[in-house]
Amino acid sequence: KQEVTQIPAALSVPEGENLVLNCSFTDSAIYNLQWFRQDPGKGLTSLLLIQSSQREQTSGRLNASLDKSSGRSTLYIAASQPGDSATYLCAVNDYKLSFGAGTTVTVRA
Amino acid sequence: EAQVTQNPRYLITVTGKKLTVTCSQNMNHEYMSWYRQDPGLGLRQIYYSMNVEVTDKGDVPEGYKVSRKEKRNFPLILESPSPNQTSLYFCASSLSGLGDSPLHFGNGTRLTVT
């Protein structure tokens, strides 16, 4: 059974600092991995989808890398802003989606 | 606007009283799914549907029913709700069930069963 872990559970940084969020998974036979953002009381918004054949994916200030062999993905958010405060979840697809518990990010102005 | 719409947003009910949470998407997506989110347990899949009239169990299907009679709608039915079904529920959809397209989520339904 796929286990997805996100450490740390919470992170607080000053505005402008780069954010590094980690996601690890136990079974490397995956099709793809998605990163989501969840704001309080809201649903999840898909940020990036990385196929298993890709090493990284970029969108604006966001960059996600994938190392299947080591079972890791990292989400980088450059020059963080208070509006980036949210919970970030990764989900691994090995025919079915398994979600991590998320990292709650607070960006202090 | 492309979206997944869930109703209601909040629901308080009593044990044993049947209820339905509706989910509709306007993106012509084939794949739809229901999740529940609980503190400390994260998101867990209840049921999913690869297309019309095709549904299957997720990780925690007990106590729930679904149907997919039309492509756009995927209601979640609790025939006899119990307090352990108190949770935050999300409906989601994607273009295909192969996981090669992003998953779009509704805004959630917070259910309380007393």
Side-chain angles (χ1 to χ4, degrees):
Chain A
K1 182 178 182 274
Q2 183 76 262
E3 300 284 343
V4 182
T5 304
Q6 292 185 249
I7 295 173
L11 189 58
S12 178
V13 299
E15 183 176 3
E17 191 165 299
N18 295 333
L19 282 163
V20 180
L21 307 178
N22 299 304
C23 172
S24 61
F25 47 95
T26 53
D27 189 343
S28 61
I30 67 170
Y31 295 114
N32 54 54
L33 182 147
Q34 288 189 55
W35 281 95
F36 294 89
R37 168 187 173 135
Q38 185 175 23
D39 293 289
K42 296 283 183 68
L44 283 70
T45 301
S46 181
L47 298 173
L48 291 167
L49 171 66
I50 314 177
Q51 301 295 346
S52 62
S53 57
Q54 297 175 309
R55 297 283 294 186
E56 65 180 293
Q57 191 70 258
T58 298
S59 176
R61 294 184 295 112
L62 275 59
N63 174 275
S65 65
L66 175 63
D67 184 343
K68 259 184 33 171
S69 60
S70 66
R72 290 182 193 173
S73 177
T74 303
L75 178 67
Y76 300 90
I77 303 177
S80 62
Q81 304 166 359
D84 293 328
S85 298
T87 297
Y88 293 84
L89 296 94
C90 67
V92 172
N93 180 17
D94 57 1
Y95 184 72
K96 63 186 284 286
L97 271 180
S98 298
F99 286 83
T103 296
T104 299
V105 171
T106 303
V107 180
R108 308 185 303 272
Chain B
E1 182 191 350
Q3 59 186 1
V4 178
T5 304
Q6 290 178 235
N7 280 298
R9 290 294 311 277
Y10 301 92
L11 181 56
I12 301 174
T13 189
V14 295
T15 299
K17 186 175 181 182
K18 180 180 179 180
L19 66 91
T20 299
V21 184
T22 64
C23 174
S24 179
Q25 50 92 7
N26 62 0
M27 296 169 279
N28 201 36
H29 283 172
E30 290 187 349
Y31 179 85
M32 297 186 75
S33 181
W34 276 102
Y35 296 88
R36 60 179 289 174
Q37 187 175 36
D38 302 287
L41 295 174
L43 271 157
R44 295 178 293 169
Q45 190 179 51
I46 303 170
Y47 269 95
Y48 65 95
S49 170
M50 298 291 278
N51 214 324
V52 176
E53 301 289 4
V54 181
T55 62
D56 209 345
K57 297 176 181 178
D59 296 318
V60 288
E62 295 79 20
Y64 304 94
K65 281 177 57 177
V66 294
S67 67
R68 187 94 181 272
K69 293 184 170 56
E70 307 165 279
K71 199 170 189 178
R72 63 183 293 127
N73 295 324
F74 191 44
L76 179 69
I77 303 157
L78 284 72
E79 295 268 0
S80 183
S82 62
N84 65 11
Q85 292 179 298
T86 293
S87 186
L88 180 58
Y89 291 86
F90 289 104
C91 179
S93 72
S94 65
L95 196 58
S96 82
L98 301 176
D100 55 356
S101 54
L103 201 55
H104 297 258
F105 280 79
N107 279 332
T109 296
R110 187 166 293 281
L111 171 65
T112 302
V113 183
T114 61

